[in-house]
Amino acid sequence: MTPERAARLVSRWVRFYTRGLPAAVARRRIEEIDADLHDHIAYERARGTADRRIARNVLSRMARGLAADASWRRRARPLEGNPMKTLLAVLATVLGVAAIVFGEADDAPGLQLLGALFVVGAVTFGVRASLRGR
């Protein structure tokens, strides 16, 4: 594999993980990585490094940088809303449904009522959070 081919593979990866971002942000990241790849290849060739080794180094850098790319993506476009609110709503719903099911099996109307309150509370909490923009 040639260094240029490895660089094209890295460029495809960058275009993949920047899709869906604002055009200016994605373009800046793509240009930043392309320039870095160009400099890397030019530097290694100036040192007399074999093309196969340069390609391996480029692909190695890509593999080692995958986690950093994902982290950069999260910083560039953070998740909307508060995931803790969603988790609490789901947990309350699960607890409520479980209380209704177990209350019905034991013929315990109090437990069924508690379960229904959990479910209604979770739905209310979810609707309220979505109306407030989370």
Side-chain angles (χ1 to χ4, degrees), residues 12-87:
R12 277 189 231 136
W13 163 244
V14 175
R15 282 169 177 68
F16 173 75
Y17 80 79
T18 58
R19 70 187 156 110
L21 293 176
V25 173
R27 187 176 54 253
R28 181 170 179 235
R29 182 65 170 188
I30 291 166
E31 290 172 355
E32 175 186 351
I33 299 296
D34 285 345
D36 184 53
L37 288 169
H38 179 269
D39 292 347
H40 180 128
I41 293 169
Y43 175 78
E44 291 294 332
R45 282 192 171 143
R47 291 181 56 203
T49 307
D51 278 356
R52 287 175 57 108
R53 184 175 181 130
I54 296 170
R56 262 196 330 264
N57 288 343
V58 167
L59 294 176
S60 173
R61 283 183 65 194
M62 181 183 87
R64 288 178 286 140
L66 291 176
D69 294 338
S71 175
W72 176 88
R73 167 72 188 209
R74 274 193 306 276
R75 286 190 314 269
R77 181 174 229 146
L79 295 173
E80 294 178 5
N82 185 348
M84 189 55 106
K85 288 182 180 180
T86 305
L87 177 65

Side-chain angles (χ1 to χ4, degrees), residues 68-123:
D69 294 338
S71 175
W72 176 88
R73 167 72 188 209
R74 274 193 306 276
R75 286 190 314 269
R77 181 174 229 146
L79 295 173
E80 294 178 5
N82 185 348
M84 189 55 106
K85 288 182 180 180
T86 305
L87 177 65
L88 289 174
V90 169
L91 183 62
T93 304
V94 168
L95 286 172
V97 170
I100 291 170
V101 169
F102 288 126
E104 192 171 84
D106 286 345
D107 194 29
L111 192 55
Q112 290 175 335
L113 179 61
L114 182 64
L117 289 174
F118 266 107
V119 171
V120 169
V123 169

